[in-house]
Amino acid sequence: MKPRIVIALGAAALSKWSARVQEELPEADVTTRDAERETADDTATPADYALVWRPHPSFFLEQSRLKAVFNLGAGIDALAAMATFPRSVPLIRLEDAGMAGPMAQYALAVALRYAYRFEEYAQRQAQRQWAPRRPFAPAEVTVGVLGLGAIGGAVARALVEQGFQVRGYARTRHESGAVRAYSGPAELPAFLTGLQILVNTLPLTADTTGILRREHLERLADGAHVVNLARGAHLDEADLLALLDAGKLAGATLDVFAVEPLPAEHPFWSHPRVTVTPHVSGVTLLEDSVRQVAHKIRSLERGEPVGGVVDWKRGY
Ligand code: GLV
């Protein structure tokens, strides 16, 4: 039988995605559903596979025979928090799918900016001060990467390639070349201690929510820089602002926020040491994602196992 696929995305993206999925899987029957529609359609045709990004909870009320759900992003936190999401159906997240390379470059840009003291010169510039200082060599800068999955692993490797000293932290041990590996809560303090740059790529789970809080950020080197590429809820915003204002931290580059879009009145917008980017470090790429999902649907149809299946016990 033809596999039936439903794609639930924002209305603007639907036709492009459905055309591409249909092209990649000509044997499938592809339909679309506006992810934002708030009412469940009782007459919707039951699909085998759903491809979704943050659909309205009503979507899962109208799809009761799904064999698998593909999350068209890396982070599954929105679905994890959705009461209507059917936990018995395998949820499969994107693995890299072209996101890891750009995220590694984003992190590298921040690390080089730190090494060249751009942040410091921005403060000097505001006072019209000409104050040259030797840049740090990458080997003099220790960067910690929180999370060593498809994304964090790529970030750590890119930093190593440029000569930075890199530590990596993950739930379980990941030994990889020049990255000094730390794992589990007991090793978190040693991982954090003395880092000049901390880059967060962790999945959002009960264990990682609020991990960027005072108790942990205070362990970083004086004048450290914090980079959040994962989820706003990893960061305690008040703690970050207090540590920046106290001079403990020199800066932060934030791509994700507790509330997105970042509200107009939020203090991050005007903070001289905070760089705000609008959740752009790792966008879902249509081509790479469709190819990855199509490959996995074919594997599932043949009864073969696929990667990226969410393990609800660990939360990602
Ligand atoms: C984006 O934030 C994603 O999770 O893919």
Side-chain angles (χ1 to χ4, degrees):
M1 236 189 29
K2 277 181 155 195
R4 278 175 307 209
I5 298 175
V6 58
I7 306 177
L9 287 173
L14 273 178
S15 61
K16 212 167 46 177
W17 276 79
S18 72
R20 198 53 201 93
V21 171
Q22 187 69 78
E23 191 184 9
E24 196 68 25
L25 286 168
E27 72 274 29
D29 194 350
V30 181
T31 57
T32 59
R33 198 267 196 200
D34 180 349
E36 276 139 48
R37 182 157 47 77
E38 292 176 15
T39 47
D41 173 4
D42 298 337
T43 64
T45 317
D48 301 306
Y49 301 102
L51 277 54
V52 307
W53 180 247
R54 295 177 177 262
H56 189 273
S58 64
F59 171 71
F60 293 109
L61 299 176
E62 69 194 29
Q63 286 296 339
S64 54
R65 285 197 235 148
L66 293 168
K67 293 198 231 166
V69 175
F70 288 88
N71 182 56
L72 295 178
I76 54 93
D77 43 295
L79 294 178
M82 205 174 278
T84 57
F85 182 80
R87 290 286 182 117
S88 55
V89 176
L91 172 60
I92 302 166
R93 62 192 151 75
L94 288 182
E95 296 174 287
D96 181 350
M99 247 181 252
M103 292 181 80
Q105 287 182 358
Y106 182 114
L108 195 54
V110 180
L112 288 168
R113 197 178 140 83
Y114 176 95
Y116 277 88
R117 305 180 188 271
F118 279 18
E119 206 77 48
E120 192 179 318
Y121 292 133
Q123 319 295 323
R124 302 270 184 210
Q125 185 173 342
Q127 294 151 21
R128 298 174 181 262
Q129 275 180 15
W130 183 271
R133 294 188 64 194
R134 185 179 71 77
F136 292 109
E140 295 172 306
V141 180
T142 306
V143 187
V145 182
L146 280 168
L148 289 174
I151 294 166
V155 169
R157 282 191 299 279
L159 292 162
V160 165
E161 272 166 28
Q162 288 301 316
F164 288 94
Q165 297 290 331
V166 182
R167 295 182 200 160
Y169 174 86
R171 201 177 50 89
T172 53
R173 198 143 208 104
H174 287 56
E175 294 297 348
S176 86
V179 178
R180 188 141 170 232
Y182 295 78
S183 60
E187 292 184 15
L188 185 57
F191 162 79
L192 294 165
T193 301
L195 290 176
Q196 287 145 289
I197 303 175
L198 175 64
V199 183
N200 178 36
T201 73
L202 286 167
L204 186 68
T205 66
D207 290 338
T208 66
T209 297
I211 193 164
L212 302 177
R213 60 180 178 272
R214 177 182 284 274
E215 169 200 354
H216 292 150
L217 299 178
E218 271 177 341
R219 294 191 174 271
L220 305 181
D222 289 343
H225 193 99
V226 174
V227 188
N228 192 10
L229 307 184
R231 285 293 181 264
H234 283 126
L235 174 68
D236 185 313
E237 297 186 344
D239 285 357
L240 177 79
L241 286 166
L243 291 168
L244 286 168
D245 292 341
K248 165 69 191 170
L249 298 174
T253 301
L254 307 175
D255 189 45
V256 288
F257 302 89
V259 179
E260 294 181 8
L262 187 63
E265 65 283 2
H266 199 286
F268 285 159
W269 282 119
S270 55
H271 199 287
R273 295 171 188 273
V274 176
T275 299
V276 170
T277 57
H279 203 141
V280 291
S281 68
V283 295
T284 293
L285 301 172
L286 175 92
E287 276 306 313
D288 302 58
S289 308
V290 168
R291 276 199 300 271
Q292 183 171 110
V293 170
H295 178 76
K296 289 185 183 181
I297 288 179
R298 289 216 175 97
S299 301
L300 290 171
E301 286 293 292
R302 288 193 299 265
E304 292 164 9
V306 297
V309 179
V310 171
D311 171 348
W312 291 109
K313 277 204 291 295
R314 55 172 208 194
Y316 63 94

